[in-house]
Amino acid sequence: MNRREIVLAPIVHVLGARPNFVKAAPVISALAAAGAEQAVIHTGQHYDARMSEVFFDQLGLPEPDVNLGVGSGGHAEQTAALMIGLEKEFTGRSPALVIVYGDVNSTIAAALVAAKLHIPVAHVEAGLRSFDMTMPEEVNRRVTDQLSALCLVTSPEAIGHLAAEGVPVERAHLVGNPMIDTLLANLDQFDTAAVRAAHGLPERYVLATMHRPANVDAPETAAALVRHLHGVADLADLVIPVHPRGRANLLAAGLDEHDRVHILEPLGYIDFIAAVRGAAAVVTDSGGLQEETTILGVPCLTVRPNTERPITITHGTNRLVAFEELVPGVRKCLEGGSASGTAAAPGARAGGRRPPLWDGHAGPRIADVIMEYLGE
Ligand code: UD1
């Protein structure tokens, strides 16, 4: 491919679900600064305004060139619809490179389609592993990395995981964490007092988000979780912006039947991180939130048996907990210790070590790797 073809063939970003938008914003803006021609395909995996549009508006993302409107469905149904739509788009646009983000179904669908059309794939957030193949995300991560020409890595141990799976080391690049670029770029916008006033929240609260299939899909598990969340609410007000996935089961189990539980609709990026920043502790099963709390210095209790982000435990404020450990874990946070057991001053990171390259400059590093790759 000569230089002129590089300029004419766009770099195509495939975005589908809420966390993708937060990761892509700094990459798109750094590639724009480098003069790359780009197109954005929104798959429509997430489609509610609160799960999608608000992120495009707040993060300054460009309007998608196309929205495939794929929507929800079973894994096979959703992934198949994603692949059919993406194949048409990639065939029509002949991208120089496709960039995919994270571990959602839109990620694996785009990687599969691009690989079969012989279009190189760059995977942002490559190499993370929970080693738990019951998680759909773990399947998505492993397959996407095998198909990627560029594995853009947020955490050093990911390079070892890729090597162990036979990914040639020259494909892996430690670039830092673009989700943290977005966080640091917006720090002065996270106004906790404003978000408290807007939603009538008390000064001191614990913030929870729960949406993993393993925690919310089975009604009996959701009911057990609600019992423990009520135990947390006995200790402090509990604020829960409810992801649509768990909504029906959590409410059917009586989540709102406690005076100190505040149920909110999903929040936009700025309000959400403002609420996280002001929380005495966070209870979650999200991936990205483990990273964001690490940088914000907010104690985080992750309700999962494993994490693909162990650096948030070794360098940050994160701790894995079983349901039964939730109430004692939150009590400890409220008494002044961090989730990980190290005392943390408000706003400081427990342990005091920021993961390497989580410095707000991952987007430009990713753009450099990509432009160099395309120039070769
Ligand atoms: C997806 C990702 C998950 C990620 C999460 C972030 C996969 C396999 N999972 O999970 O890794 O942590 O996004 O939010 O890709 N729904 C709505 N409105 C929407 C989107 C979804 O109501 O805009 C509801 C639908 O009932 C849908 C359900 O949520 O069936 C699940 O959506 P889906 O995109 O399949 O997976 P998530 O649970 O959101």
Side-chain angles (χ1 to χ4, degrees), residues 13 15 19-29 61 101 124 178 182:
H13 303 262
L15 312 182
N20 292 166
F21 312 140
V22 184
K23 292 164 196 168
V27 179
I28 293 174
S29 104
L61 280 160
Y101 296 85
V124 173
T182 301

Side-chain angles (χ1 to χ4, degrees), residues 13 15 18-33 38 40 55-62 101 124 178-179 181-183 185-186 269 362-364 366:
H13 303 262
L15 312 182
R18 194 165 60 171
N20 292 166
F21 312 140
V22 184
K23 292 164 196 168
V27 179
I28 293 174
S29 104
L31 282 168
Q38 306 183 72
V40 173
F55 287 79
F56 277 76
D57 292 346
Q58 294 187 343
L59 301 179
L61 280 160
Y101 296 85
V124 173
M179 191 171 238
D181 285 20
T182 301
L183 182 81
N186 289 286
Y269 179 73
I366 291 170

Side-chain angles (χ1 to χ4, degrees), residues 16-19 44-52 71-73 75 78 103-106 136-137 140 211-213 243-246 285-287:
R18 194 165 60 171
Q45 179 176 342
H46 284 177
Y47 43 85
D48 289 347
R50 286 193 169 97
M51 301 290 287
S52 173
S72 306
H75 283 282
Q78 188 180 55
D103 53 20
V104 303
N105 282 349
S106 296
E137 293 83 2
N140 294 347
H211 75 282
R212 290 278 156 218
H243 185 288
R245 177 169 205 112
D285 57 12
S286 152

Side-chain angles (χ1 to χ4, degrees), residues 10-13 38-42 56 62-68 89 93:
I11 293 169
V12 167
H13 303 262
Q38 306 183 72
V40 173
I41 299 178
H42 190 322
F56 277 76
E63 184 85 5
D65 292 78
V66 60
N67 187 322
L68 303 180
E89 287 298 325
R93 292 172 191 274

